[in-house]
Amino acid sequence: MNEIATFDPFSPDAGTHQGGALDGHALVQGDYGTAVLGYDLASKVLRDKRFQNSALRLMEEFGITSGPVHDFRARSIIMLEGDRHLRLRLPLARFMSPVTVKNTRDVLRRIVESINADLDDSAPVDFYRGVAQRIPSLVYCHLAGAPASDAPQVQSLSERTLSLLTRDRSLTPVIVEAYDELFAYLAGLIARKRAEGLGDDMLSYLISLGDEGKLTEQEVLAEATSMLEASSVNTAHQAGLVVWTLLRDREAWQRIVADPELIPAAVVESLRLFPRTGVVSKIAVEDVELEGTVIPKGSDVHVAVWSANRDPEKFEHSEEFDLDRERNQPLTFSTGSHNCLGQGLAKAEIEEVVRHLAEHYPGARVVEDATRIDQAGGRWLIGKLTVDLKP
Amino acid sequence: MIKVKVDFDRCDANGTCAALMPDVFRIGDDGLLEQLRTEVDPGREAELEEVIVCCPVGAIARG
C-alpha cells in the first residue's frame, strides 16, 4: 500500500485524482496519516464509532489546549458518543430535519426574495457576496429568534470560527477571538430572550430545556455555539458552488427551468461533484484494521469525501453531471451518527436559491472571467462568483 | 397499531432511529439499516413522532 505514499489529500493538486481508489487502493497513507478514497470504505469509516472527529486535536495542535474554547469543543456534539451525544443531537434535529424544514419553506422563500429585491440586475452581480453569503445567516437568525440585523455578525463569526479547518496555524488568535466574541454574543442574546420572554424558536427551546433540567447550562451554550459556528460559511460556499455548476451546464439548466421538480436532484448532483466539505478528518480511538491495514490508535484518518463522491465503482460516469441518477447519496454531508444535522435545511436553502433563479432569471449566466472557483485538497470554495442575471 | 415506513432510497444508515427505538430499527453488521417491525403500538406515537422528526434525511414516515 505504501508504494503510493506520495498521494497527499491536502496538496493543492489532490483534486486531479479522478476519484475512487488510486491504482486499486481505496486506502492510502503518507505523512498526513491515512486517506480513504473509495466510496464504500469512506461510508464504513464515517459510520464507525472507533473513529472520532479530529476537531479537538486540531485545536490542540493550534495551541488551544485549555480555556473556554477548548472546553466547548471537548463537550460539543461532534465529540460525544452514546446517550450524551443523542441528548444534544435531538433538540437541534427537531428544528432542522427535512420534516420540519417543510414548514420553514415559506420563510426561506421570503429571505431569498428579500435579498434579490436589493440586487441591481441590470449589470452582472457578485452572486457570492450579494446573495449566497447573505442567506444562511439570515436563516440562522430566524431559527434562533435573533433580529435579522444580527446576520452580518453571525456570518462573520461562522466564517472566523470554522477557519480552523483551513489548517493554517497563523489563524489561532483570530479563532480564539472569534469564539470569545461568539460566546459573548450568545450570552447577550440569551439574556435578552429571557428578559423579553421565550418564543417558539430553537434558542428559546434550548433555554427551556435548560430550565427544565434536561440540559445543563453549559450544554445549552454548547448547543447554541455549535449551531452558530456551523450556520453560515459552508452553506454559503455550497450554494455558490451549486449555482456555478448548474448555470454552466446549459442543457441541465434548461431542463430545470422547464421542470422545477428537478431542482432537488440537481442540487444533490451538484453537491456530489463539488462538495464544500471535501475532507472529513477523524482520529482512530483504538487500533482499527481496515482493508488488511492496521490503523494505529491516535492516528489521523482523512475521509476524502470528494474522491468517494466521484468513485467510478459507485457512480457510473462519475465525473459527469447527471440529473437522472437513482439513489444518489453522495457523502457531502457525511453519514453515520455524526452526519450533518443541518443538511435538510442547507439543501432547502440552496433549492430555494436555484428556484428563484430558474423562475426569475432563466437566462442567467456565469461571467467566467470575473469568477474564480478554488479547490484545495478537495475542499471547493468560491473565490468570486459573478452572474449576469439578464444577459 | 401505527404503521412505520422507511424510505430505503433516502436512508443513509446514520442510526438516529436505531438509537431512539432499538426494538424497531437496527443498524446491521453490514452497516445498513434493518427495520425490525413495521408497526408499533398506538401508545408509542410520541416516540415515533420524535424518530420521524429527528431523521436527518427524512426517511421515516407513518404508513
Side-chain angles (χ1 to χ4, degrees):
Chain A
M1 181 181 56
N2 290 318
E3 69 264 32
I4 38 175
T6 49
F7 180 82
D8 178 348
F10 296 106
S11 82
D13 65 349
T16 56
H17 169 51
Q18 59 150 21
L22 187 65
D23 298 335
H25 301 276
L27 189 106
V28 296
Q29 291 183 312
D31 295 341
Y32 53 82
T34 301
V36 179
L37 301 177
Y39 182 92
D40 286 342
L41 193 62
S43 305
K44 199 167 142 190
V45 169
L46 293 171
R47 289 180 180 135
D48 192 330
K49 292 189 193 317
R50 293 173 298 173
F51 297 105
Q52 196 181 37
N53 196 301
S54 71
L56 183 64
R57 186 152 93 191
L58 197 54
M59 256 187 187
E60 289 167 351
E61 285 170 8
F62 274 50
I64 307 169
T65 52
S66 62
V69 179
H70 182 269
D71 287 354
F72 152 68
R73 183 84 290 152
R75 285 197 298 263
S76 64
I77 182 165
I78 60 169
M79 301 307 303
L80 302 177
E81 294 295 344
D83 286 347
R84 288 181 70 201
H85 172 236
L86 212 55
R87 204 147 60 94
L88 294 188
R89 185 156 175 121
L90 298 184
L92 302 183
R94 187 179 289 283
F95 283 84
M96 293 189 290
S97 82
V99 178
T100 28
V101 164
K102 276 188 200 135
N103 309 324
T104 334
R105 283 276 173 177
D106 289 344
V107 176
L108 297 180
R109 264 173 220 177
R110 276 206 302 279
I111 287 173
V112 173
E113 275 161 20
S114 72
I115 285 175
N116 282 277
D118 293 347
L119 288 181
D120 173 9
D121 59 16
S122 63
V125 298
D126 180 341
F127 196 82
Y128 179 67
R129 276 167 197 83
V131 181
Q133 197 183 42
R134 293 175 61 198
I135 293 169
S137 53
L138 282 166
V139 175
Y140 172 87
C141 288
H142 168 75
L143 265 188
S149 53
D150 287 357
Q153 188 185 7
V154 167
Q155 192 276 326
S156 161
L157 284 170
S158 171
E159 185 152 338
R160 283 180 284 148
T161 49
L162 288 203
S163 64
L164 179 80
L165 297 174
T166 61
R167 294 176 178 257
D168 174 356
R169 293 184 68 121
S170 73
L171 291 175
T172 302
V174 174
I175 293 165
V176 174
E177 193 186 325
Y179 275 105
D180 286 343
E181 185 185 324
L182 190 159
F183 296 146
Y185 167 74
L186 282 177
L189 183 59
I190 289 171
R192 259 199 342 262
K193 292 181 95 69
R194 283 197 180 285
E196 289 164 9
L198 300 181
D200 55 6
D201 57 274
M202 184 171 68
L203 194 53
S204 293
Y205 180 68
L206 291 171
I207 295 168
S208 64
L209 288 179
D211 291 345
E212 291 162 22
K214 290 178 181 158
L215 291 177
T216 66
E217 200 178 319
Q218 273 181 343
E219 283 174 331
V220 172
L221 201 61
E223 289 278 75
T225 303
S226 295
M227 264 299 296
L228 200 159
E229 65 178 357
S231 68
S232 305
V233 63
N234 287 337
T235 311
H237 280 280
Q238 194 68 72
L241 289 164
V242 169
V243 167
W244 173 72
T245 309
L246 297 180
L247 290 185
R248 291 166 78 250
D249 187 331
R250 296 316 286 187
E251 200 184 312
W253 182 247
Q254 290 316 321
R255 282 183 67 191
I256 292 164
V257 168
D259 181 7
E261 303 250 313
L262 293 171
I263 290 173
V267 169
V268 170
E269 178 65 349
S270 307
L271 294 166
R272 179 182 73 82
L273 285 168
F274 302 104
R276 157 65 177 171
T277 44
V279 178
V280 177
S281 295
K282 302 265 185 183
I283 290 171
V285 295
E286 57 185 85
D287 289 355
V288 181
E289 192 184 320
L290 282 181
E291 307 271 285
T293 299
V294 176
I295 315 286
K297 177 180 176 177
S299 55
D300 290 289
V301 179
H302 305 287
V303 180
V305 162
W306 60 274
S307 173
N309 282 356
R310 291 170 177 243
D311 184 345
E313 301 256 319
K314 173 72 183 176
F315 301 98
E316 220 173 295
H317 308 296
S318 60
E319 73 294 349
E320 284 172 21
F321 182 94
D322 181 356
L323 259 178
D324 305 305
R325 288 186 194 277
E326 284 177 11
R327 291 204 59 149
N328 194 9
Q329 292 190 332
L331 298 175
T332 304
F333 294 108
S334 187
T335 184
S337 63
H338 285 282
N339 69 2
C340 174
L341 254 176
Q343 61 180 289
L345 185 62
K347 277 186 263 196
E349 289 181 40
I350 298 170
E351 284 166 16
E352 291 310 321
V353 172
V354 173
R355 190 183 313 277
H356 189 89
L357 280 176
E359 269 175 27
H360 299 275
Y361 302 108
R365 282 185 182 269
V366 171
V367 182
E368 296 288 347
D369 58 9
T371 292
R372 206 185 74 243
I373 306 299
D374 295 320
Q375 201 257 90
R379 291 176 199 275
W380 292 83
L381 60 140
I382 303 283
K384 189 172 172 63
L385 174 60
T386 308
V387 174
D388 195 350
L389 294 167
K390 288 180 169 175
Chain B
M1 298 295 271
I2 308 172
K3 282 208 178 353
V4 184
K5 220 170 61 183
V6 177
D7 181 345
F8 283 94
D9 283 347
R10 278 176 182 269
C11 174
D12 74 340
N14 64 78
T16 307
C17 56
L20 287 171
M21 290 183 103
D23 62 319
V24 182
F25 310 99
R26 190 174 91 94
I27 300 295
D29 296 335
D30 57 1
L32 300 177
L33 182 72
E34 288 169 18
Q35 188 176 0
L36 304 174
R37 286 161 202 253
T38 54
E39 307 185 316
V40 295
D41 191 89
R44 301 180 71 190
E45 189 174 6
E47 241 181 295
L48 180 64
E49 230 18 71
E50 178 148 48
V51 169
I52 291 171
V53 166
C54 291
C55 174
V57 292
I60 301 168
R62 292 173 67 138

